[in-house]
Amino acid sequence: MGIFMLLQPVLPLPRLDFGIGVVENPGDLALSLQILILLTILTLAPAILILMTSFTRIIVSLSFIRNALATNQMPPNQVLIGLALFLTFFVMAPVFAEMYDQGISPFLEEEVDFDTAVVATLAPIREFMFAHTREKDLEMFMQMRGEDRPQTRDDVNTLTLIPAFVISELKTAFQIGFGIFIPFLVIDMIVASTLMAMGMMMLPPVMISLPFKILLFVLVDGWHLVVRSLLISYL
């Protein structure tokens, strides 16, 4: 008891008050809502980074490489995700710079209001998504929402554009993955046929084909080819 009495003057305990009051100025309410929206956006930033950028196509394609090689957890998930993030920043750097110049910088300098800054910031990322979204996917989501055929890109809602963009990215990533699997599948078939002809039924073909697949991937400089193909696909 004596210890708490000694610490009380030195370490006063704070008191927190929570309450709901009446707003005297309507601008205070608008500012509070803007802060709440900003905090929500920051919370959803990882999902935004994944779904509105090139990250989806890159990470799925890199995962296909590991599955095709059948190297279990090599490279580790941390390496693949880190590489995918840096490649995403490399691809999206011009878009991010344009978003900052058109929307964020004018808002910070108080040249435009919040609503205008949001529209200007979203414009570059919308153009990027439009460039890599299939019309078929976009049309499907617009029909599901009962929206009329848009006359211009400005008529397309961002919440409709994002899932259409993600589906298009997944299809492209699976197409790249199919091309990655073909040569390794041929090696597996050759090894399996050879072992069967030699009567070595009990020996797993994967164990024998794994060194040959790794050797082939190294000889053709596979990482260079895959990363180069991913970057070219966004040009």
Side-chain angles (χ1 to χ4, degrees):
M1 185 69 181
I3 296 177
F4 286 106
M5 293 180 62
L6 292 174
L7 293 178
Q8 186 174 3
V10 181
L11 299 174
L13 297 177
R15 184 181 66 181
L16 300 177
D17 294 328
F18 297 93
I20 300 176
V22 179
V23 177
E24 299 179 357
N25 185 5
D28 296 338
L29 178 60
L31 180 60
S32 301
L33 291 177
Q34 292 177 6
I35 295 175
L36 178 62
I37 294 174
L38 180 60
L39 293 177
T40 304
I41 293 175
L42 292 177
T43 304
L44 298 176
I48 294 174
L49 176 63
I50 292 174
L51 298 180
M52 299 177 64
T53 64
S54 60
F55 182 83
T56 301
R57 182 189 303 185
I58 294 174
I59 190 61
V60 172
S61 301
L62 296 179
S63 299
F64 269 118
I65 295 177
R66 187 173 64 184
N67 292 333
L69 288 171
T71 54
N72 295 327
Q73 293 298 320
M74 287 295 155
N77 290 331
Q78 294 85 348
V79 174
L80 290 184
I81 294 176
L83 177 60
L85 284 174
F86 277 105
L87 291 177
T88 300
F89 292 142
F90 181 84
V91 172
M92 301 298 298
V95 179
F96 290 156
E98 191 174 356
M99 292 171 64
Y100 180 82
D101 294 336
Q102 293 186 9
I104 299 176
S105 180
F107 177 73
L108 295 178
E109 296 176 0
E110 299 182 355
E111 297 178 358
V112 297
D113 57 6
F114 180 77
D115 295 335
T116 305
V118 170
V119 174
T121 303
L122 286 177
I125 194 70
R126 280 171 56 89
E127 290 296 324
F128 174 81
M129 289 190 291
F130 271 119
H132 301 284
T133 301
R134 296 185 303 165
E135 184 178 350
K136 179 180 178 181
D137 295 330
L138 184 59
E139 182 179 358
M140 178 190 69
F141 282 101
M142 296 195 68
Q143 289 179 352
M144 292 295 105
R145 296 192 63 176
E147 299 178 354
D148 297 331
R149 185 177 182 86
Q151 301 297 325
T152 62
R153 290 182 173 181
D154 295 335
D155 298 333
V156 179
N157 193 299
T158 303
L159 296 180
T160 305
L161 176 61
I162 293 175
F165 170 73
V166 174
I167 289 181
S168 299
E169 288 290 279
L170 286 175
K171 180 181 179 181
T172 305
F174 272 68
Q175 290 174 341
I176 296 175
F178 176 78
I180 293 173
F181 259 95
I182 293 300
F184 300 116
L185 180 61
V186 172
I187 293 178
D188 287 332
M189 294 176 61
I190 294 175
V191 172
S193 300
T194 304
L195 293 178
M196 187 177 297
M198 297 174 62
M200 305 174 66
M201 300 280 193
M202 303 302 294
L203 186 62
V206 177
M207 183 182 301
I208 305 301
S209 63
L210 178 58
F212 292 101
K213 290 193 289 187
I214 295 177
L215 178 62
L216 173 65
F217 194 72
V218 172
L219 290 177
V220 300
D221 200 359
W223 290 110
H224 174 84
L225 293 177
V226 173
V227 171
R228 185 175 183 272
S229 299
L230 288 171
L231 297 180
I232 291 177
S233 66
Y234 285 104
L235 295 179

